Amino acid sequence: MPLSIISANRLRDGATVWRTASGDWAEQVQAAGPLDADALVIGLQKAALQPQVVVDVHEVPVTLEADGTPLPATQREAIRADGPSVRPDLPVSTWGARGGALPPLPSATSTSPFAGIYRYDDYDRQFLRDRAASFGAQVARRLAGELSEDEFKPLRLMNGLYLQLHAYMLRVALPYGILSASQLRQLAYVARHYDRGYGHFTTRQNIQFNWMRLEDAPAVLALLAEADIHAIQTSGNCVRNVTTDEFAAAAADEIVDPRVYAEILRQWSTDHPEFTYLPRKFKIAITGSPQDRAAVRLHDIGIMARRNAQGEPVFQIFAGGGLGRIPVIAVKLRDELQVHDLLRYVEAILRVYNALGRRDNIHKARIKILIREMKPEHFIKMVEDEFAAMLADYCVLESDVVAAVGARFIPPPFETLKAEPTEFTEALKRDRAFRAWVRTNTHPHRQPGYISAVISLKTPGSIPGDVKAGEMDKIADLADRFSFGELRVTHQQNLVLPHVRKADLHVFWSELVSLGLAAGNIGLVTDIIACPGMDYCALATARSIPVAQRIAERFADPQRQQDIGPLDLNISGCINACGHHHVGHIGLLGVDKSGTEVYQITLGGASDEKAAIGTIIGPAVPTEQVPETVEKIVNAYIAHRTEGETFIETYRRLGLAPFKEAVYGNH
């Protein structure tokens, strides 16, 4: 006889709970009361009458062990019962459950410089405080039963609060990926006292806290506001966090500083009355370098800033890019848009999408689907017509506004330095490990004598993007010492100190070595992009983190990684593609096949100025075979490459055949 148990998440903290035979809720699956079909119907009805206690009530099919203990029949529910296996170092609870007095906020005593960071004023800061207080009132109404879950859900999502498998997750915005050392310490404070000791940096240049309690979320937003940080529009059908190049305002190849325009777009889109409830989420990226490090062609709107023949900044505009269920490369709408028309033109695109985008089918609601169904030429005409119909003085981005926003980005106090200081060149000569790290983990700076340094969050065996609270504090200290208190978050889930003196670089690297954060693997096979997968995410169909760990361990030898050379490997735990698998040189998509976790493999993707969607090479492979399969693909590349040829260049020259043969042989 089929048996089931009833599970839910506790409303106040999101903890996974199981309904007992007596009708109570327990945190241990062993206490759940097995039910037959008739009893299940009654149990679900009774559980539905407790909306102030639990949320997401659902049936879980089980088998019984010899002693009568219920065992969830699906992997997802087994993970919900046992917790994620990827963090054995997790404490048993958050501070909010333990109680006790909290120490003062880091921002209260911070002396960190704010060079490169957009400086909020009292008006900006009060806006964030008011927003946190407003959400606090909404949470109180939900806990008191004055709001139903259906009424409350869009409110919490607009404040970055999701319900995941084991708890609530708070997604905090790091606009265009820039933050100060003081802000990083504030995030470490949240991780230490309101989460379980760590944060997770994402491909959207945000940070997520995976063990947030609903009742603590307003307090967290209030304390983040004191450091000019928020979670506004990190979810919902609105314009999400605007992203940009992690080397903005530092890169030697940069033509236009994109930070100012990213900030203007952020301010313009925040709580925009017309675009707060779009058909679907909406993502914008901008870069000011000819080398696209912001993946602009994979966004709903992508912007390439450059200069025209007169030396004035202008924008190349793309629209309709995106990954997920239907991956699409964006189409170009304008080749040369003037600065004063930027907001007007973006608004024209959003107006057309808002009016015509589908709201009856979540899978067909993105702008990429609208453009495909309308045909690009018709969509472009509608945007141009909408733009032309605007009043001449409507939403013009005046030069004084650009200047005023730009003035709030205080430039670092750069020194006049030698381009190649003796300390740097001597360290390169004598220290092979340092030399290898510099080759992969640094980027040329526009200022002589400086360099941008990337801190890899992909030490083999670690979880891509995860950083412990103590590590955040230490990285913040390094930013103060070596980079004017400024950091960047990359969409590859790493951190950057953008302005390090070359003369100090060996000392900085030595500090990273002592912290265990000196992996010299940026852009190499172990620099894996991976979503949280089914260890955390309620939508995932596979566990991407353990796969990433096993691949990284297989290729852990630094010399071997260097010999392989540049290779983007991206992993997603479901079709939503948060791990950007479609645009990895090697992409892995975890899917559920009749209850078994398998991985589909794509090759040839790219997210740069030669953006491409990868091609599926054949049948999915079992999870346990993925590391070996990746090695077969890499070995095929090594066997066929010409001297100096990268993986993606070899693939583009030869196509799929040799790699498919390596994986499947004659089968």
Side-chain angles (χ1 to χ4, degrees):
M1 177 178 63
L3 293 174
S4 298
I5 56 178
I6 296 174
S7 184
N9 292 85
R10 196 160 51 208
L11 174 62
R12 62 183 174 83
D13 61 2
T16 301
V17 290
W18 311 86
R19 197 168 190 271
T20 67
S22 62
D24 297 321
W25 295 95
E27 292 189 18
Q28 295 76 35
V29 69
Q30 294 83 358
L35 305 168
D36 61 21
D38 293 335
L40 176 65
V41 172
I42 297 171
L44 289 171
Q45 291 172 343
K46 290 182 177 179
L49 299 176
Q50 298 179 288
Q52 291 172 247
V53 179
V54 291
V55 65
D56 191 27
V57 177
H58 59 278
E59 166 195 0
V60 178
V62 295
T63 58
L64 298 183
E65 297 188 285
D67 62 357
T69 301
L71 185 67
T74 65
Q75 184 182 25
R76 180 191 304 278
E77 294 300 332
I79 291 173
R80 288 185 75 245
D82 296 337
S85 62
V86 295
R87 290 230 69 117
D89 56 340
L90 282 176
V92 295
S93 63
T94 62
W95 169 84
R98 296 192 297 269
L102 284 172
L105 296 178
S107 58
T109 56
S110 174
T111 58
S112 292
F114 271 73
I117 309 299
Y118 178 80
R119 296 305 308 272
Y120 280 37
D121 58 20
D122 291 339
Y123 177 88
D124 298 323
R125 206 163 291 117
Q126 191 58 46
F127 174 82
L128 299 186
R129 291 168 179 154
D130 292 344
R131 182 65 175 256
S134 175
F135 186 56
Q138 293 163 352
V139 170
R141 292 177 65 199
R142 175 68 183 98
L143 293 172
E146 297 172 11
L147 289 175
S148 69
E149 183 60 21
D150 286 344
E151 293 169 326
F152 179 65
K153 183 177 179 179
L155 300 175
R156 66 169 167 80
L157 288 176
M158 290 294 281
N159 286 282
L161 197 64
Y162 287 75
L163 182 63
Q164 300 281 66
L165 287 187
H166 315 286
Y168 291 97
M169 177 270 283
L170 180 66
R171 180 181 294 151
V172 176
L174 304 175
Y176 36 93
I178 302 179
L179 71 162
S180 69
S182 179
Q183 289 174 324
L184 186 58
R185 292 189 187 96
Q186 204 90 334
L187 295 171
Y189 184 97
V190 172
R192 183 176 289 114
H193 299 297
Y194 288 96
D195 200 86
R196 294 193 177 181
Y198 72 99
H200 174 76
F201 289 103
T202 78
T203 56
R204 291 295 302 162
Q205 297 179 309
N206 295 310
I207 187 171
Q208 296 180 175
F209 297 103
N210 288 318
W211 300 94
M212 190 59 51
R213 294 156 54 94
L214 174 61
E215 56 193 15
D216 290 340
V220 170
L221 294 179
L223 74 86
L224 289 176
E226 298 307 308
D228 303 344
I229 310 173
H230 62 82
I232 298 170
Q233 295 183 193
T234 55
S235 182
N237 294 334
C238 53
V239 178
R240 301 284 187 91
N241 190 30
V242 178
T243 58
T244 192
D245 181 351
E246 63 265 30
F247 302 119
D253 65 347
E254 185 172 88
I255 299 170
V256 176
D257 181 354
R259 298 173 306 164
V260 174
Y261 303 104
E263 173 61 24
I264 289 169
L265 286 164
R266 183 195 71 82
Q267 292 187 28
W268 172 81
S269 62
T270 298
D271 283 348
H272 193 295
E274 190 174 352
F275 307 132
T276 298
Y277 295 96
L278 294 166
R280 196 72 173 89
K281 59 186 176 181
F282 202 92
K283 301 175 181 179
I284 300 175
I286 179 171
T287 186
S289 298
Q291 182 181 349
D292 181 5
R293 292 181 289 266
V296 299
R297 292 164 180 82
L298 301 168
H299 284 73
D300 298 292
I301 293 178
I303 304 171
M304 293 282 290
R306 53 188 178 84
R307 294 191 181 274
N308 61 15
Q310 291 73 44
E312 302 164 332
V314 292
F315 305 108
Q316 196 174 58
I317 306 293
F318 298 84
L323 302 178
R325 191 174 299 269
I326 302 174
V328 177
I329 303 298
V331 298
K332 183 165 54 174
L333 275 62
R334 274 285 188 104
D335 195 54
E336 193 170 292
L337 183 75
Q338 302 299 312
V339 168
H340 62 264
D341 285 331
L342 177 63
L343 297 182
R344 294 159 53 83
Y345 200 79
V346 169
E347 178 156 334
I349 296 170
L350 278 161
R351 283 185 185 180
V352 173
Y353 170 56
N354 201 25
L356 301 179
R358 293 184 62 169
R359 287 178 163 85
D360 62 328
N361 187 327
I362 192 172
H363 302 306
K364 297 183 178 181
R366 298 292 294 269
I367 191 173
K368 61 185 179 182
I369 305 299
L370 175 65
I371 293 175
R372 186 184 69 172
E373 293 184 349
M374 287 182 65
K375 305 302 182 188
E377 58 272 22
H378 295 144
F379 178 82
I380 293 170
K381 183 179 186 306
M382 289 197 70
V383 169
E384 292 292 342
D385 288 347
E386 184 70 33
F387 176 71
M390 291 179 178
L391 297 176
D393 60 350
Y394 174 74
C395 206
V396 174
L397 181 53
E398 302 287 1
S399 58
D400 58 339
V401 173
V402 176
V405 173
R408 294 214 200 171
F409 289 95
I410 302 172
F414 293 121
E415 302 173 54
T416 301
L417 302 173
K418 290 174 58 179
E420 298 297 325
T422 303
E423 299 93 330
F424 178 64
T425 56
E426 290 298 320
L428 287 175
K429 291 176 184 177
R430 71 173 183 269
D431 195 326
R432 179 180 177 182
F434 173 65
R435 188 164 64 248
W437 180 86
V438 170
R439 189 182 306 124
T440 54
N441 288 50
T442 63
H443 194 272
H445 201 285
R446 65 195 311 169
Q447 190 76 16
Y450 288 86
I451 200 165
S452 295
V454 186
I455 302 174
S456 173
L457 303 183
K458 317 286 183 61
T459 301
S462 66
I463 298 173
D466 275 17
V467 187
K468 296 178 182 178
E471 291 172 333
M472 290 190 217
D473 285 332
K474 291 171 182 176
I475 292 170
D477 291 343
L478 293 177
D480 276 342
R481 286 177 59 192
F482 295 103
S483 190
F484 307 105
E486 184 180 348
L487 302 106
R488 309 288 178 84
V489 181
T490 79
H491 78 264
Q492 293 90 358
Q493 301 172 282
N494 296 306
L495 296 177
V496 174
L497 265 61
H499 315 297
V500 181
R501 288 171 23 131
K502 285 185 177 180
D504 296 334
L505 194 62
H506 189 268
V507 176
F508 168 70
W509 171 78
S510 299
E511 295 282 359
L512 291 182
V513 171
S514 68
L515 296 176
L517 293 172
N521 62 347
I522 299 302
L524 303 181
V525 66
T526 61
D527 184 17
I528 300 170
I529 292 176
C531 69
M534 199 160 54
D535 280 291
Y536 295 99
C537 181
L539 301 176
T541 54
R543 299 174 63 237
S544 49
I545 291 173
V547 173
Q549 291 172 316
R550 289 197 294 271
I551 294 171
E553 288 165 354
R554 194 176 189 105
F555 291 92
D557 177 46
Q559 187 57 54
R560 187 182 183 199
Q561 294 182 59
Q562 293 281 349
D563 291 343
I564 294 168
L567 199 165
D568 295 341
L569 199 158
N570 301 355
I571 307 176
S572 296
C574 79
I575 195 64
N576 290 303
C578 293
H580 297 184
H581 67 277
H582 294 296
V583 292
H585 299 160
I586 301 175
L588 303 173
L589 168 63
V591 296
D592 185 322
K593 185 177 181 181
S594 303
T596 301
E597 191 178 303
V598 298
Y599 271 83
Q600 186 183 86
I601 301 171
T602 58
L603 296 180
S607 61
D608 57 12
E609 59 278 7
K610 296 181 180 179
I613 303 300
T615 301
I616 298 172
I617 68 170
V621 300
T623 301
E624 61 273 12
Q625 294 180 18
V626 170
E628 177 187 358
T629 302
V630 170
E631 186 157 37
K632 290 178 180 178
I633 293 169
V634 170
N635 288 342
Y637 152 63
I638 291 172
H640 290 90
R641 68 183 175 184
T642 60
E643 184 175 356
E645 194 174 47
T646 65
F647 178 93
I648 191 64
E649 290 168 344
T650 300
Y651 173 83
R652 288 171 178 163
R653 176 171 59 85
L654 297 178
L656 205 61
F659 302 98
K660 188 171 184 177
E661 173 68 20
V663 173
Y664 302 107
N666 295 321
H667 299 288

